[in-house]
Amino acid sequence: MVELADAIEADFRRWPEFDKTPRIASHSDIGVIELMPTSDGQQYGFKYVNGHPGNMRRGLQTVTAFGVLADVATGYPVMMSEMTILTALRTAATSAMAAKWLAPRDARVMAMIGNGAQAEFQALAMKAVCGIEEVRLYDIDPAATRKCAANLAGRGLRVVSCNSAEDAILGARIITTCTADKQYATILTDNMVGGGVHINAVGGDCPGKTELAPAILHRAEIFVEYPPQTRIEGEIQQLGPDHPVTELWQVIAGEAPGRTDAAQVTLFDSVGFAIEDFSALRHIHRRLRGTGFFQDLDMIADPDDPRDLFGMICRAEGAQAA
Ligand code: NAD
């Protein structure tokens, strides 16, 4: 988590070097399928990812993903990876990186509202990167909270299971919302959020899918990944198009202030941006070298003469006939 947060932070620091576009989303009534591409001029990466809140009822995951890293010099892909787990890791590492820059320095307690697939990763990243000692769990489904508490047992966090969101945020200086529902939901109401907290809003990441009461947004200092994407998908879709936001990379690069006073409410309106996936793909590609944790894939046709693609088929036909 610490390595991954560092890798993402290094790429946020050189943000202007990247190609950037809002992700390409194909929406249906029940979910979304998205492509998330970017390049730093040396390497190119993309992620294919879905988000289907109703999948859980069918015994399927809400989010699944895979991704590709390619060499810009040749255009050849160099690695294909599962990214369901890697998305959970990079989303958590990005949350923790944002909290490192924005949360009150003495934050030791976090609330984790929504205890599904992402939850344990979020809590463990906050522990590793920000020194969180206690996580307070709440989910509308008690079975999710039981699962999360059991998975987190023995991992160095004090885990408190709560019966309401109000209970979960008691004493918490970092509040993470990570619920899945394709609607304008209100996981946090205005009166639940006092001063001096950092909110990490992870679950609202699609048009029509938000977690926070608009009044919170009007009180908070808002930090985002890539405004053209977040204005479509994030909590700030509930605000006017000119409402001021700060790009997180600018805080990390020293070009904009982060938290400026202890009583402020800071909000990281996380939607997930392609550069985080690129950083994660590049990081695991580096770390895979010299390990056995990969397989060579026979994915690219390799004709003896690069222009004789058809000849390659003819030779294969001949070999089959013989
Ligand atoms: P999940 O379906 O595994 O878990 C979601 C949990 O939220 C469930 O346990 C559900 O019971 C709970 N929930 C729903 N409504 C609630 C409410 N009102 N109060 C409390 N809990 C409630 O999903 P997941 O994989 O953990 O993802 C959660 C959300 O995060 C999804 O919306 C997903 O799209 C989003 N996400 C965002 C990013 C990002 O980068 N920002 C990355 C990955 C996932």
Side-chain angles (χ1 to χ4, degrees):
M1 283 295 189
V2 172
E3 278 182 24
L4 194 50
D6 285 347
I8 296 169
E9 188 169 303
D11 284 341
F12 268 56
R13 203 165 271 128
R14 63 187 187 107
W15 190 265
E17 292 174 26
F18 285 90
D19 277 350
K20 290 174 280 294
T21 176
R23 64 183 144 201
I24 302 138
S26 171
H27 291 281
S28 64
D29 291 345
I30 51 169
V32 63
I33 294 175
E34 298 166 328
L35 284 178
M36 302 173 68
T38 189
S39 170
D40 66 354
Q42 307 291 314
Q43 288 174 301
Y44 171 93
F46 76 82
K47 179 168 84 175
Y48 168 104
V49 60
N50 78 299
H52 284 67
N55 270 3
M56 215 181 15
R57 286 190 291 279
R58 303 163 63 194
L60 300 171
Q61 299 172 97
T62 300
V63 175
T64 66
F66 72 90
V68 170
L69 191 67
D71 178 19
V72 168
T74 60
Y76 276 32
V78 295
M79 184 181 75
M80 183 172 178
S81 174
E82 89 76 41
M83 288 194 81
T84 306
I85 295 169
L86 199 53
T87 293
L89 289 167
R90 74 80 156 129
T91 305
T94 304
S95 294
M97 175 190 77
K100 186 181 100 180
W101 286 90
L102 301 174
R105 285 260 160 265
D106 58 350
R108 294 290 170 268
V109 179
M110 79 177 277
M112 185 69 232
I113 302 177
N115 302 154
Q118 310 300 319
E120 296 90 337
F121 298 88
Q122 291 285 327
L124 291 172
M126 289 293 181
K127 171 181 177 285
V129 176
C130 303
I132 284 297
E133 295 166 359
E134 176 174 318
V135 59
R136 301 176 65 80
L137 305 177
Y138 171 68
D139 194 293
I140 39 167
D141 180 356
T145 303
R146 279 197 297 277
K147 174 263 333 175
C148 190
N151 284 341
L152 288 175
R155 293 189 180 270
L157 277 168
R158 207 162 45 246
V159 180
V160 181
S161 300
C162 302
N163 293 321
S164 66
E166 287 80 354
D167 187 11
I169 63 176
L170 278 182
R173 310 292 292 277
I174 297 178
I175 303 172
T176 294
T177 54
C178 192
T179 64
D181 212 342
K182 204 167 167 96
Q183 63 167 352
Y184 295 108
T186 308
I187 307 302
L188 295 178
T189 57
D190 191 32
N191 62 358
M192 287 166 73
V193 177
V197 298
H198 173 67
I199 304 172
N200 179 40
V202 180
D205 60 356
C206 258
K209 179 163 164 253
T210 58
E211 296 182 302
L212 306 183
I216 299 173
L217 308 181
H218 286 287
R219 280 200 289 134
E221 207 60 47
I222 303 173
F223 298 83
V224 303
E225 290 142 313
Y226 181 56
Q229 182 177 309
T230 312
R231 294 216 186 262
I232 300 169
E233 302 180 350
E235 295 301 323
I236 60 170
Q237 66 185 278
Q238 304 182 82
L239 301 175
D242 299 323
H243 190 95
V245 298
T246 305
E247 295 183 50
L248 185 57
W249 75 268
Q250 292 182 309
V251 178
I252 292 168
E255 294 182 15
R259 169 174 292 274
T260 50
D261 84 75
Q264 238 175 1
V265 176
T266 50
L267 165 64
F268 175 42
D269 187 0
S270 158
V271 291
F273 189 59
I275 293 175
E276 294 145 26
D277 298 310
F278 177 93
S279 310
L281 283 170
R282 235 168 48 113
H283 180 65
I284 60 163
H285 185 241
R286 271 198 303 264
R287 293 284 262 109
L288 279 177
R289 289 195 194 113
T291 75
F293 298 122
F294 65 90
Q295 286 173 279
D296 285 323
L297 295 177
D298 189 11
M299 296 254 302
I300 309 286
D302 53 351
D304 300 334
D305 171 353
R307 278 183 304 190
D308 192 13
L309 188 59
F310 195 78
M312 182 184 148
I313 297 172
C314 297
R315 279 191 295 283
E317 268 175 349
Q320 213 170 24

